Structures are given as C-alpha cells and as structure tokens.
Amino acid sequence: MIYLDYNATAPMRPEVWDAMREAMLVPSNPSSMHAVGRKARQRLEAARETVAHAVGVWPNEVLFTASGTEANNTVLRGFPDRPLLVGATEHPSILKLALKLGGDVLPVDGQGFIDSGILESKLKALGRPALVSVMLANNETGIIQPIARLSQAARQYEALFHTDAVQAVGKIPFDMGTLQVDMMSLSAHKSGGPVGIGALVLRNDLPIKPFLVGGGQERSQRAGTEAVGLAAGFAKAMEMAQTREWTASIESEMRSLENNIKQNVVGAEVAGEGGIRLPNTSCLLIPGVVSETQLMHFDLEGFCVSAGSACSSGRIEPSPVLRAMGIAEAQAACAIRVSAGWNTKPEEIRAFGESWVKLAQRLGKQAV
Ligand code: PLP
C-alpha cells in the first residue's frame, strides 16, 4: 500500500517508538512520591520542556491533553463569559462545539481565507471582549491563515485569540510569538508521534476554566494521570518535526501532481489554489466523479487517500470546508485529499498521479 493520508494520521517515526517504549515499560505515575514516581515526573517534565521549546513558550505554559480535540474543546468551554467567533472552515472539534455553544462563524473567501476586516466588524458589533478561534492550517485544503494579522486585529477589541495548529506541526515553521496568539492546540499523531496525546499551549496568566476536573494534575487545569510514555513520544516527534527535512522535495512533487491532474483530467481543479498552503496537502476536485468512486479505484490500486474529513458512519457528505469556500455541493462531493509526509517517497506521489490519469481514461475524462 502507498500511504498518502498523513493529514488523517501519520505513521509513527521509529525514534518515537523507541522513546515511548522506554517510558512505557515502567510504572509511570508522576504524582507518586517514590523513586519510580519521581523518575516518571522527570520524564514528563523533560517532554514538556521539549514541546514548549518547539513552539517558543515556557514549559509551564504547556498542558498535556489526550488529543487536539480535547485541547480545542477545553479552549471553547474555558471562557464561558466571552462570545465565540470561529472560522467557517475549522475542524469539527471547534466548529461543531462553537455552534452548539451559540458562537458565530467568520466566513472565508473562495480560497479559504478569513478577512481581518470582517473579523474586526464582527468584534465591533459584539461590543464586548470575545474569544476568537482560527486554525493555522486547514486539514483538507492546507490553506495557511494569516494568523498574526488576525490576532492583531482581535487584540484591538480585547479578544482572546486561539489557533488550532494541529495540522501545521512538522510541515511549516511557527511559534506562539510570531503568531501573537494567546492559546494554541497541538496533537502528536499528525507528524509521526503517537495517537492519544496533544497539548493546549496557553499564556500562563489566562484564567481558563478546567474542562476535566478531578486530581490536581497539570497545575489543576487538566485532571487525569499524565500519559508519560505518550508525552515522551510526543516530545520526540516535536523535536524531529523541527527539521522538516522532507518538505521541500515533497512540495515540488505535490505541485507537479496538481499540474499533471489539471493537464490530463477534464475539468480538474485544486481547492485553494494560488493561496499559501501546506507543502504536503492537495485537495483535488474532478467534477462528475464522486469521491466514493475515486476512493474505490485508489483502494483497489493500493493507495490510501481520503475524501476529506466529512466522513461519518461510513457515509461521505460533501465537505463543509469546501462548501464554506463557495464550491457547489455537487462539485464538493467529488473531492479527494492527498496528503504526504515524513516517510513519503517522490515516486509514490508520481505513481498516484499515474493511477489518477488511468481512472480518468477509464471514465472518458482524459484531456486530449
Ligand atoms: N484540528 C485539526 C485541524 C485536525 O486536522 C484534527 C484531526 O484531524 C484535529 C484538530 C483533532 O486532533 P486529534 O485527532 O488529536 O483529536
């Protein structure tokens, strides 16, 4: 199989497994006072330091969570007195919850970008300090939002600003200082770390309401015994993500793939094309061929790709992200997301392009 679904989850880096194995084979409750507990505490704090260093904050500004989803939910539920404003193309762990909590949505343009003028006018109309959440990089299209510009606009209205940086880890350089945000969500498994751990990075003077209540772990802000082994793996993945050694060659291969498809398949389009995007992500639309048909073909040919994230109980709905960008429902139903990563070989992307042209030939959609 050729795996091109890194935005869903990335294969674990072997070094991550080594780091985890060592920490997981011993009992690890960092709250225990004995020598074994103290060793666990040491490992946990070393991991926290590495994650903090990778995003340019102090270690006490990193709270470990069980996922990016938990970090996102914690933020949205953490400031109940503030009205919520979130991007229209956010991950469901932001968008669904924000709508449930009565939040408002910031529209995007045809490429998927949020306009700082629209943010400002919504904040002005609210007339009181809000909580704004806009993702750094989109999981379906790879579009990278102008976070620093948006957070500067938000600050004029005393809003708090959160960014979901889950998809940016290991793909582009970023840190809390340059983005000028108050909070950030991370997840380990999109860049070669383990599934089941993420982090909420927050300025340490922020009075966030804890989401999980119980023991006094994570400075009483996130109850539950800390997953030391997973934290060690997360730290190793964050450390390795800093080099991004694979991104330059993969980006040029992905852009060639896009050009190849556009030239060879009638009506093919790239969502968000022309905008600043992640180096590893392409969202390709082939009008008239629904995602299910394409996925079936690629599955038979040995490729793992995705129809976008709008897949629930096995049924694929047209992607709300693409719909928010103004793409018609019928066209959005024909999207495929291809996402590469640290272990992708350029020839795998080329093979995928060839398979696509083969599908187009079979369906009579090959350009002449
Ligand atoms: N945010 C974005 C942009 C994502 O792509 C994902 C996962 O797909 C998440 C949040 C959720 O992260 P996790 O799988 O760690 O809950």
Side-chain angles (χ1 to χ4, degrees):
M1 295 301 287
I2 291 180
Y3 189 79
L4 292 170
D5 203 12
Y6 277 66
N7 287 10
T9 195
M12 191 181 281
R13 288 188 183 258
E15 297 85 347
V16 166
W17 173 239
D18 292 342
M20 278 172 48
R21 196 172 177 280
E22 209 191 325
M24 285 182 122
L25 283 173
V26 288
S28 288
N29 187 337
S31 302
S32 301
M33 301 299 279
H34 46 65
V36 172
R38 291 198 304 275
K39 177 73 194 160
R41 166 67 53 194
Q42 240 173 32
R43 281 203 164 108
L44 181 70
E45 296 313 323
R48 196 187 311 280
E49 215 165 290
T50 305
V51 173
H53 183 73
V55 292
V57 298
W58 296 106
N60 65 0
E61 296 176 305
V62 173
L63 290 186
F64 286 120
T65 61
S67 60
T69 296
E70 187 197 316
N72 283 345
N73 273 230
T74 304
V75 170
L76 291 199
R77 292 192 186 276
F79 301 89
D81 297 334
R82 287 177 179 256
L84 296 172
L85 274 179
V86 306
T89 56
E90 298 299 305
H91 186 265
S93 56
I94 289 285
L95 189 59
K96 270 196 193 167
L97 181 58
L99 293 175
K100 195 171 151 198
L101 297 174
D104 194 6
V105 172
L106 295 158
V108 296
D109 65 17
Q111 283 180 323
F113 291 108
I114 290 172
D115 181 88
S116 57
I118 296 182
L119 171 62
E120 285 188 40
S121 59
K122 289 218 180 233
L123 288 168
K124 199 168 171 182
L126 280 170
R128 61 194 178 104
L131 169 62
V132 180
S133 182
V134 176
M135 71 205 317
L136 177 52
N138 186 270
N139 42 310
E140 292 184 43
T141 61
I143 282 290
I144 301 170
Q145 295 287 352
I147 295 297
R149 194 179 333 137
L150 296 169
S151 64
Q152 272 165 17
R155 198 159 313 112
Q156 293 175 52
Y157 296 88
E158 292 172 44
L160 287 175
F161 201 101
H162 165 256
T163 191
D164 171 353
V166 165
Q167 287 293 348
V169 176
K171 297 168 189 162
I172 51 167
F174 67 93
D175 61 51
M176 284 278 278
T178 18
L179 295 176
Q180 300 177 44
V181 295
D182 301 295
M183 292 169 278
M184 174 190 282
S185 298
L186 302 170
S187 181
H189 72 102
K190 309 286 185 182
S191 62
V195 175
I197 186 160
L200 171 58
V201 184
L202 76 167
R203 268 189 11 226
N204 60 20
D205 54 346
L206 279 182
I208 193 164
K209 188 170 153 246
F211 181 40
L212 292 179
V213 177
Q217 293 92 349
E218 299 294 275
R219 305 196 314 280
S220 297
Q221 286 183 301
R222 196 273 180 183
T225 303
E226 298 94 336
V228 178
L230 296 179
F234 184 13
K236 181 51 85 178
M238 287 299 279
E239 188 186 305
M240 299 191 75
Q242 298 308 301
T243 62
R244 297 180 301 282
E245 75 291 349
W246 54 271
T247 49
S249 60
I250 289 301
E251 178 161 33
S252 81
E253 230 23 90
M254 292 295 283
R255 300 308 167 234
S256 306
L257 169 73
E258 291 173 356
N259 290 334
N260 178 14
I261 306 271
K262 281 189 301 175
Q263 273 164 20
N264 288 297
V265 183
V266 177
E269 279 177 40
V270 180
E273 193 175 22
I276 301 171
R277 286 182 288 144
L278 290 175
N280 76 318
T281 309
S282 288
C283 181
L284 300 147
L285 301 144
I286 307 200
V289 189
V290 292
S291 309
E292 283 97 327
T293 308
Q294 299 183 53
L295 285 184
M296 242 182 297
H297 164 84
F298 292 125
D299 198 42
L300 286 172
E301 294 242 311
F303 295 97
C304 301
V305 289
S306 152
S309 65
C311 178
S312 57
S313 26
R315 218 184 103 72
I316 301 167
E317 308 280 349
S319 150
V321 169
L322 301 180
R323 296 286 292 122
M325 289 163 65
I327 295 172
E329 190 170 333
Q331 202 167 344
C334 302
I336 288 281
R337 176 186 71 184
V338 187
S339 52
W342 69 269
N343 204 24
T344 304
K345 317 270 175 303
E347 55 273 23
E348 294 180 320
I349 299 174
R350 268 173 250 147
F352 179 73
E354 283 159 24
S355 173
W356 212 321
V357 174
K358 202 161 117 186
L359 171 69
Q361 270 168 350
R362 218 184 59 215
L363 298 171
K365 287 200 159 274
Q366 193 183 23
V368 283

